[in-house]
């Protein structure tokens, strides 16, 4: 590596972060690469924390709404088909996030979207977190109303406020909450099905012949299958919340390789195995309770829980069911609020060049979620999720296509480059594929191309994104992945080199090598966040002869 001796020495620090933004024990490297020094949890702990976040009961409501609308055969087929798509697309994304210590937004930047191209996906992801926070909060408010007589409007506020202290404290607090509540959740999840196995053993057989509540019929319908799959695929962006934990996975070594691979598979795409089982289980509980409580209440998870537990617990069925629902919703909504704060941080840091700290965006995300709850979005569940899935699947499939196809064909760099200093603003490969795929599928969703296309709009989105991402990359010859070569820390390096720290010339804080870029404007190394927040440099590093300058006095890097 060569130094630029003619460049003047950098002056005093140009930036000092606000107290909350500078405290990484709370900030959790929200806009950065997660350094190995911070990844102090083992593979099992990270996986357990990530899986603890899928305790949500929206799966119960989603599964019930699909089966009630389209019957058991079409509904079950839709749930399983969606699970297969989510699992397959989640594998490469989970491995990339765990390997490179990056969240979903940073992976998206380098996987075909570009620095500003992924700004739109930050909004898509943020909307996922507050939509599902609102759904889960509505379910929790319903439980508190039945158990304590609390008006649901006040329940919405309570379910919003209760998560703030945990989310404010970051990953350490989240890991403890997930671990401490897991036994209660597991017992509460299994008990209703155990009761029904003894008290109503014939109910499962009757459920498999259920024709729905809207005249769909018990047989298979392609239209019902398509619509049902679209609703279930709204959960595809859940891989982003799993990635928010997976980025803290320790480095894979020869000693932990098997445990690491299993943990990433289980905590990444593996969540959908449990999720699909919960959707079918929730539909089953709603079916059993349908005659007793009616269709509206059967779609609210608290009522089927009470009906299932009543034969064994009698008067204690209500408090037991309420406890399970409340614990479940706290477990998932701390994750929704945490992931939302990360996504909003990523979005606003690029738009405003300011970063007050992740924790402030908790309140923005929760404010939007609370508004949706007060507007009773639970009543619009099916239509809302069906629309959202068209955009979510186009994004996720485009990223997966880049990781699986483009990188193997050499159309995309073999590693994930997330730093502004090396990226074009927009990469048409992934970003273009997502925009085209989601636009066409949304038009189909609103019936422009007929009923068949409307039912299968999410399949249209997935197919177009899968095909267009490599085609656009091929047509552009991968030109828009790197604005200039990263000669400092490009392809994967050995852990010994990665963990060497280098001091940012702007904030004078030491960061590990993957978080550092060479900056001609500062005449020295710059961390990825200071680079993102710089509004005056004019991207000089990507222009003229300065683009080729390597000014970091770093040790030689061994490629792997």
């Amino acid at each position: 590596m060569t130094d630029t001796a003619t460049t003047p020495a950098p002056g005093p620090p140009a930036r000092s972060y606000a107290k909350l933004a500078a405290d990484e024990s709370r900030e959790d490297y929200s806009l950065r690469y997660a350094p190995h020094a911070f990844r102090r949890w083992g593979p099992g702990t990270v996986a357990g924390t990530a899986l603890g976040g899928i305790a949500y009961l929206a799966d119960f409501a989603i599964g019930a709404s699909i089966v009630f609308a389209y019957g058991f055969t079409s509904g079950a087929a839709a749930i399983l088909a969606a699970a297969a798509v989510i699992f397959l697309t989640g594998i490469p994304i989970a491995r990339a996030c765990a390997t490179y210590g990056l969240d979903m937004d940073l992976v998206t930047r380098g996987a075909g979207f570009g620095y500003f191209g992924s700004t739109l996906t930050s909004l898509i992801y943020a909307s996922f977190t507050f939509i599902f926070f609102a759904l889960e909060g509505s379910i929790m408010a319903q439980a508190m109303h039945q158990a304590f007589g609390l008006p649901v409007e006040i329940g919405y506020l309570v379910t919003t406020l209760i998560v703030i202290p945990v989310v404010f404290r970051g990953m350490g607090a989240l890991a403890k909450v997930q671990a401490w509540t897991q036994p209660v959740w597991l017992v509460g999840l299994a008990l209703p099905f155990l009761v029904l196995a003894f008290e109503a053993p014939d109910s499962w057989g009757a459920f498999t012949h259920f024709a729905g509540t809207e005249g769909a019929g018990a047989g298979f319908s392609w239209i019902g299958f398509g619509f049902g799959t679209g609703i279930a695929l709204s959960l595809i962006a859940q891989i982003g919340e799993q990635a928010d934990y997976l980025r803290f996975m320790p480095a894979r070594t020869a000693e932990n390789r098997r445990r690491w691979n299993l943990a990433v598979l289980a905590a990444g795409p593996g969540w959908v195995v449990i999720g699909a089982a919960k959707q079918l289980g929730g539909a089953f509980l709603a079916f059993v309770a349908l005659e007793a409580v009616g269709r509206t209440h059967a779609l609210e998870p608290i009522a089927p829980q009470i009906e299932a537990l009543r034969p064994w617990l009698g008067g204690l069925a209500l408090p037991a069911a309420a406890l399970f629902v409340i614990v479940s919703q706290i477990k998932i909504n701390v994750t929704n609020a945490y992931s939302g704060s990360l996504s909003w941080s990523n979005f606003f840091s690029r738009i405003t060049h300011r970063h007050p700290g992740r924790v402030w965006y908790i309140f923005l995300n929760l404010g939007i979620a609370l508004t949706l709850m007060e507007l009773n979005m639970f009543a619009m569940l099916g239509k809302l999720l069906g629309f959202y899935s068209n955009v979510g699947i186009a994004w996720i499939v485009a990223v997966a296509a880049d990781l699986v196809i483009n990188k193997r064909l050499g159309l995309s760099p073999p590693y994930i480059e997330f730093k502004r200093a090396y990226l074009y603003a927009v990469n048409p490969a992934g970003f273009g594929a997502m925009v085209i795929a989601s636009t066409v599928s949304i038009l189909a969703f609103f019936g422009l191309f007929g009923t068949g296309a409307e039912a299968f709009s999410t399949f249209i989105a997935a197919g177009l994104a899968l095909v267009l991402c490599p085609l656009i990359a091929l047509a552009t010859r991968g030109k828009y992945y790197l604005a200039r070569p990263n000669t400092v820390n490009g392809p994967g390096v050995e852990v010994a080199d990665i963990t060497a720290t280098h001091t940012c010339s702007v904030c004078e804080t030491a960061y590990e090598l993957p978080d550092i870029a060479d900056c001609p404007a500062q005449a020295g190394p710059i961390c990825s966040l200071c680079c993102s927040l710089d509004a005056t440099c004019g991207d000089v590093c990507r222009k003229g002869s300065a683009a080729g300058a390597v000014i970091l006095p770093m040790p030689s890097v061994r490629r792997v």
Side-chain angles (χ1 to χ4, degrees):
M1 253 172 229
T2 59
D3 296 331
T4 52
T6 58
T7 306
R15 179 176 294 109
S16 60
Y17 291 106
K19 182 177 180 181
L20 290 176
D23 183 0
E24 294 297 352
S25 66
R26 299 180 190 274
E27 189 66 10
D28 282 350
Y29 296 88
S30 61
L31 303 182
R32 303 180 182 274
Y33 154 86
H36 286 275
F38 190 74
R39 302 186 217 175
R40 57 183 179 269
W41 301 276
T45 300
V46 175
T49 304
L51 288 175
I54 65 165
Y56 54 84
L57 296 184
D59 266 340
F60 281 40
I62 290 171
S65 66
I66 292 172
V67 173
F68 276 26
Y70 308 112
F72 172 81
T73 304
S74 299
I79 290 169
L80 295 177
V85 173
I86 292 171
F87 187 87
L88 292 174
T89 56
I91 293 174
I93 293 173
R95 290 185 66 85
C97 293
T99 299
Y100 294 102
L102 305 176
D103 65 15
M104 191 66 204
D105 178 77
L106 300 186
V107 167
T108 299
R109 288 187 199 177
F113 281 71
Y115 182 71
F116 276 108
S118 65
T119 305
L120 177 59
T121 65
S122 291
L123 283 180
I124 296 171
Y125 183 33
S127 65
F128 174 87
T129 64
F130 62 66
I131 286 172
F132 278 89
F133 188 103
L135 288 176
E136 307 297 347
S138 297
I139 292 170
M140 184 172 171
Q142 293 160 5
M144 291 189 292
H145 174 69
Q146 289 213 31
F148 313 117
L150 190 70
V152 289
E153 293 78 11
I154 297 177
Y156 296 151
L157 180 62
V158 172
T159 193
T160 302
L161 297 177
I162 199 171
V163 305
I164 293 177
V166 177
V167 182
F168 194 85
R169 294 176 63 86
M171 174 66 178
L174 291 170
K176 291 178 182 177
V177 167
Q178 300 297 0
W180 292 344
T181 56
Q182 199 72 345
V184 175
W185 180 75
L186 288 173
V187 172
L189 179 67
L191 189 57
F193 299 100
L194 182 63
V195 173
L196 291 176
F198 283 94
E199 300 296 331
D202 297 329
S203 56
W204 177 259
F207 177 54
T208 60
H209 294 90
F210 181 48
T213 59
E214 300 176 19
F220 180 79
S221 164
W222 282 106
I223 298 298
F225 169 76
F227 278 121
T229 305
I231 295 172
L233 280 173
S234 64
L235 293 165
I236 196 168
Q238 176 65 31
I239 189 62
E241 295 198 346
Q242 304 307 111
D244 288 337
Y245 295 111
L246 286 171
R247 65 196 177 105
F248 298 123
M249 193 69 70
R252 185 176 60 173
T253 63
E255 291 76 19
N256 73 0
R257 182 175 181 177
R258 180 173 296 180
R259 288 184 290 114
W260 191 95
N261 287 332
L262 181 60
V264 171
L265 185 67
W271 77 266
V272 78
V273 176
I274 302 173
K278 287 164 57 190
Q279 288 176 48
L280 291 172
F284 172 60
L285 293 180
F287 164 76
V288 174
L290 180 60
E291 185 175 344
V293 303
R295 183 185 185 279
T296 299
H297 290 300
L299 293 175
E300 301 171 355
I302 180 66
Q305 288 281 326
I306 295 171
E307 292 302 313
L309 294 175
R310 200 184 303 278
W312 282 12
L313 301 185
L316 296 178
L318 173 57
L323 176 63
F324 170 67
V325 172
I326 291 171
V327 167
S328 298
Q329 303 318 90
I330 290 175
K331 285 170 72 66
I332 180 53
N333 267 352
V334 294
T335 296
N336 282 327
Y338 177 73
S339 294
S341 70
L342 297 178
S343 187
W344 284 118
S345 295
N346 273 299
F347 175 76
F348 281 110
S349 68
R350 276 171 286 177
I351 298 299
T352 66
H353 294 283
R354 299 180 185 278
H355 180 54
R358 171 191 67 82
V359 296
W360 293 109
Y361 294 111
I362 297 171
F363 301 101
L364 171 63
N365 209 52
L366 295 185
I368 297 173
L370 179 59
T371 301
L372 291 178
M373 283 188 275
E374 297 292 355
L375 293 175
N376 192 25
M377 67 163 292
F378 192 83
M380 303 178 289
L381 178 65
K383 203 68 176 176
L384 176 66
L385 297 184
F387 171 79
Y388 178 83
S389 64
N390 287 278
V391 181
I393 195 170
W395 163 37
I396 297 298
V397 171
V399 172
D402 182 85
L403 296 173
V404 174
I405 301 173
N406 294 5
K407 291 194 181 303
R408 295 194 178 188
L409 294 179
L411 300 172
S412 172
Y415 70 105
I416 306 295
E417 181 54 75
F418 67 95
K419 296 181 286 294
R420 172 191 178 188
Y422 303 107
L423 294 174
Y424 282 100
V426 175
N427 185 343
F431 182 78
M434 182 196 72
V435 170
I436 295 171
S438 58
T439 300
V440 173
S441 66
I442 288 172
L443 292 176
F445 177 77
F446 284 110
L448 188 64
F449 308 127
T451 303
E454 180 183 356
F456 285 87
S457 62
T458 50
F459 288 87
I460 294 173
L464 285 176
L466 182 65
V467 172
L468 288 175
C469 184
L471 284 181
I472 296 174
L474 183 63
T476 58
R477 298 182 180 180
K479 174 184 176 182
Y480 296 99
Y481 281 92
L482 294 178
R484 62 168 174 142
N486 183 349
T487 56
V488 176
N489 52 13
V493 298
E494 293 187 2
V495 173
D497 292 323
I498 288 177
T499 56
T501 59
H502 304 274
T503 302
C504 174
S505 58
V506 177
C507 65
E508 292 192 341
T509 303
Y511 293 100
E512 290 182 7
L513 180 60
D515 204 37
I516 293 291
D518 56 311
C519 179
Q522 295 295 330
I526 187 170
C527 71
S528 62
L529 183 53
C530 284
C531 181
S532 291
L533 300 181
D534 195 330
T536 62
C537 69
D539 292 321
V540 67
C541 62
R542 290 181 274 169
K543 299 175 181 178
S545 60
V550 179
I551 57 180
L552 290 179
M554 294 185 176
S556 61
V557 173
R558 292 165 287 176
R559 311 298 179 187
V560 296

